[in-house]
Amino acid sequence: RAWSPRAQVCCSFRVSVVVFFIPMADNTEMPVETKPVNPHVATTCTAGPIGLTAFGITTILLNFLNADLIGKDSITLIICYGMFHGGAIQILAGMWEVYRGNIFGGCAFTSYGGFWMGFALFEILMVITELEPPSKDGKAVWLCVWGLFTLLNFIGTLNANRVVQFVFASLTVLFFLLAAGVDNHDIHVLAGYVGIVCGSSALYLGWAEVMNELAGRELCYIGPVKNKVF
């Protein structure tokens, strides 16, 4: 069929319009929202080793007591020391990590620092006031809640290194064993030994991070995760 000159012009115009606009549609890139880089990460060192050291030492000392390896009269020294090193120092380390944009480290250090501050205050009030001791059920629930919180934190470590995973896994076991040990002295003693292992692993991780930073490489094993879980 023969096309009229007018139809040929119209057809040519339509084809040219289609050819002109399709490449533009294909090459157009939608703007991608990117998270701004936190400038404090590059200019501020991590407070992880500070918090881990504080947590590790105080956890070891308290669980020497739980495991009946030292006398009960050591509680005053451990509590007063734990209030500052395990409590205040961890909270400061947590706030430092928040400043750097590390929300996981900030949440963990401030939470466990608050745990130590509250625990120490309670023990002190038990001595200087007529405050009634908590019921066994209440103490078990308190420890179970902290065990659940630690378990949730452990899930957050699945993309981190193996040693920090072990710290949170053993700490989870520690809290639930302490809860079960409220009515069973043998389980309480077992929890003490688990706590010593947990605190030692945290102390090692803090030291390893310092040594790796000084060496500029992985001098001490921490087991970085190669395949991310989420």
Side-chain angles (χ1 to χ4, degrees):
R1 180 182 176 181
W3 293 86
S4 65
R6 181 177 179 180
Q8 292 178 1
V9 171
C10 291
C11 182
S12 176
F13 174 76
R14 289 174 183 171
V15 172
S16 64
V17 170
V18 173
V19 174
F20 178 75
F21 277 100
I22 288 178
M24 287 189 63
D26 292 341
N27 295 332
T28 301
E29 295 183 359
M30 297 297 293
V32 178
E33 184 179 353
T34 58
K35 184 179 180 180
V37 178
N38 187 344
H40 304 308
V41 175
T43 58
T44 310
C45 67
T46 177
I50 300 173
L52 287 166
T53 301
F55 170 82
I57 292 177
T58 48
T59 300
I60 291 171
L61 292 176
L62 179 61
N63 284 283
F64 261 91
L65 185 64
N66 289 334
D68 288 341
L69 296 176
I70 55 178
K72 297 296 183 183
D73 53 355
S74 302
I75 185 65
T76 52
L77 172 63
I78 295 172
I79 289 301
C80 292
Y81 169 79
M83 173 178 280
F84 288 94
H85 200 189
I89 296 300
Q90 276 202 87
I91 291 175
L92 289 174
M95 292 295 97
W96 195 313
E97 287 302 296
V98 170
Y99 176 76
R100 296 182 70 251
N102 180 6
I103 188 60
F104 178 83
C107 178
F109 286 137
T110 54
S111 296
Y112 294 114
F115 170 88
W116 265 102
M117 294 288 284
F119 178 66
L121 177 61
F122 174 77
E123 291 292 334
I124 292 172
L125 291 178
M126 287 286 293
V127 174
I128 65 176
T129 68
E130 297 180 356
L131 187 67
E132 292 292 330
S135 65
K136 290 184 177 181
D137 291 343
K139 188 174 182 180
V141 169
W142 172 63
L143 290 167
C144 282
V145 170
W146 275 99
L148 177 60
F149 171 73
T150 307
L151 177 61
L152 295 175
N153 277 331
F154 167 74
I155 296 173
T157 67
L158 295 179
N159 283 349
N161 61 70
R162 300 301 185 190
V163 179
V164 75
Q165 290 177 10
F166 180 83
V167 171
F168 279 91
S170 59
L171 183 58
T172 301
V173 174
L174 171 60
F175 274 121
F176 285 120
L177 282 177
L178 287 173
V182 170
D183 282 322
N184 189 311
H185 182 70
D186 292 335
I187 296 179
H188 183 81
V189 171
L190 174 62
Y193 285 101
V194 173
I196 293 172
V197 174
C198 174
S200 299
S201 64
L203 184 60
Y204 166 78
L205 180 58
W207 172 77
E209 289 187 356
V210 170
M211 295 303 295
N212 291 346
E213 175 72 19
L214 292 175
R217 58 186 177 88
E218 188 179 351
L219 181 66
C220 302
Y221 174 81
I222 59 174
V225 175
K226 296 180 180 179
N227 298 321
K228 301 296 183 181
V229 177
F230 53 84

